[in-house]
Amino acid sequence: MSLRTHTQSPGSTQEDMVFNLVILSLTELLSLGGLLGNAVALWLLNQNVYRNPFSIYLLDVACADLIFLCCHMVAIVPELLQEQLNFPEFVHISLLMLRFFSYIVGLSLLAAISTEQCLATLFPAWYLCRRPRYLTTCVCALIWVLCLLLDLLLSGACTQFFGAPSYHLCGMLWLVVAVLLAALCCTMCVTSLLLLLRVECGQERHQPRGFSTLVLLAILLFLFCGLPFGIFWLSKNLFWHTPLYFYHFSFFMASVHSAAKPAIYFFLGSTPGQRLQDPLRLVLQRALGDEAELGAVREASQGGLVDMTV
């Protein structure tokens, strides 16, 4: 009904077309910048991956963002060209699969980062002495495998990618996705609140900016920019009503979410007044807290009890 009413006014339709083209063009530009930024972050993190277990998380987040942005840029090309170019059904479904897969992987990794950072902040003695050596690697591998399984189930039940779709199973799986999305968001909100209280009320408020600040900013970035994309996919597949403008708005904000993370690393790791002079590797180490926090941790854990000393 809203679409029919919307298309009755030629002037309104023309204005909406211009607005959509502007939003899609900005989305493409942001995605291109995000590809470059995440590629640089991925390259630097790959050289520094064993110094800090949290760098493994960020390495996986950069991989997920690269996949998402690549699929995102390609998927909106037909709309940007006014449907002058149409992809085959196989390519279209593959782009949707990869884009949703990378989105849910990035969300799960962010929840895992916030949970582990919260544990490291609230229970530092346990984190130094009792934390399993390969916890980060196992958690990342488990997230990739489970998200891939969920994506394949959704593709098989909701599309013709593997055969005839099952609409009943498709609806059940999207309800599972809705519960998963809500659970991950609640986890990030609770852990970020605990981190914020610890940083503001504890001894950490007198220390330099570190990884806790990066985690808090990344969670805020997701809640304001990344969450609308997940809400759009849920509303689309669960047949919830959403305004027409929310479609392209969610795509634009998803690009902001994936593209802004390298900018956060740079901002937190740069020295005020020397943002263009510091080497990028040093900037990333500061953002991870290597100089302010992990140096003391490495000195306190000379026995090699945790993998940040490797």
Side-chain angles (χ1 to χ4, degrees):
M1 292 295 293
S2 59
L3 179 60
R4 185 177 303 171
T5 303
H6 179 74
T7 57
Q8 286 178 352
S9 173
S12 177
T13 302
Q14 186 176 4
E15 291 177 0
D16 289 338
M17 289 177 61
V18 173
F19 174 78
N20 291 337
L21 286 176
V22 171
I23 290 295
L24 290 174
S25 300
L26 290 176
T27 300
E28 289 284 79
L29 291 176
L30 274 173
S31 298
L32 180 59
L35 282 175
L36 297 176
N38 280 285
V40 173
L42 185 64
W43 177 66
L44 294 173
L45 286 166
N46 188 53
Q47 298 181 345
N48 194 47
V49 68
Y50 294 112
R51 293 190 58 184
N52 183 345
F54 289 105
S55 64
I56 301 177
Y57 282 123
L58 295 186
L59 181 72
D60 286 66
V61 169
C63 289
D65 285 337
L66 278 174
I67 298 173
F68 179 85
L69 290 172
C70 286
C71 297
H72 202 52
M73 289 183 66
V74 177
I76 65 177
V77 167
E79 297 187 49
L80 189 60
L81 298 178
Q82 298 293 317
E83 298 185 355
Q84 296 178 6
L85 172 67
N86 291 319
F87 295 131
E89 188 68 18
F90 175 81
V91 176
H92 178 69
I93 294 177
S94 299
L95 288 173
L96 295 181
M97 288 174 55
L98 286 174
R99 187 166 56 172
F100 178 77
F101 166 67
S102 56
Y103 174 81
I104 202 70
V105 166
L107 172 58
S108 303
L109 288 170
L110 188 57
I113 293 171
S114 61
T115 301
E116 185 165 341
Q117 177 62 25
C118 185
L119 292 174
T121 304
L122 296 178
F123 308 103
W126 171 87
Y127 192 81
L128 284 174
C129 302
R130 301 293 181 182
R131 177 185 178 276
R133 182 180 180 86
Y134 298 106
L135 176 64
T136 303
T137 304
C138 293
V139 169
C140 290
L142 187 63
I143 287 175
W144 283 94
V145 171
L146 292 179
C147 291
L148 178 60
L149 178 61
L150 176 61
D151 190 58
L152 291 176
L153 288 174
L154 285 170
S155 302
C158 303
T159 69
Q160 297 181 357
F161 197 80
F162 297 111
S166 174
Y167 297 105
H168 177 71
L169 179 59
C170 178
M172 294 295 295
L173 288 173
W174 277 108
L175 287 176
V176 172
V177 173
V179 173
L180 176 62
L181 182 64
L184 293 175
C185 290
C186 290
T187 299
M188 288 189 291
C189 290
V190 171
T191 53
S192 61
L193 180 60
L194 292 175
L195 277 175
L196 184 62
L197 291 175
R198 180 68 175 179
V199 170
E200 293 297 326
C201 301
Q203 298 178 352
E204 287 82 358
R205 66 179 176 180
H206 303 294
Q207 295 179 358
R209 294 175 303 178
F211 193 74
S212 297
T213 306
L214 189 152
V215 173
L216 291 174
L217 289 178
I219 292 174
L220 288 176
L221 181 67
F222 169 78
L223 293 177
F224 286 100
C225 299
L227 187 58
F229 185 79
I231 295 175
F232 161 73
W233 276 106
L234 290 177
S235 62
K236 176 183 177 182
N237 291 278
L238 295 177
F239 304 102
W240 297 342
H241 174 72
T242 54
L244 291 173
Y245 65 84
F246 189 72
Y247 172 69
H248 290 132
F249 172 78
S250 64
F251 279 28
F252 173 73
M253 297 306 290
S255 296
V256 174
H257 172 242
S258 296
K261 291 173 188 173
I264 292 179
Y265 307 157
F266 176 80
F267 176 77
L268 290 180
S270 298
T271 303
Q274 299 181 351
R275 299 191 184 279
L276 300 178
Q277 302 177 11
D278 294 334
L280 291 178
R281 184 180 301 177
L282 180 60
V283 169
L284 188 59
Q285 289 176 3
R286 289 200 192 110
L288 287 168
D290 281 347
E291 293 183 349
E293 299 172 8
L294 295 179
V297 171
R298 282 192 291 268
E299 293 177 1
S301 56
Q302 294 178 355
L305 295 176
V306 293
D307 59 354
M308 36 175 94
T309 59
V310 177

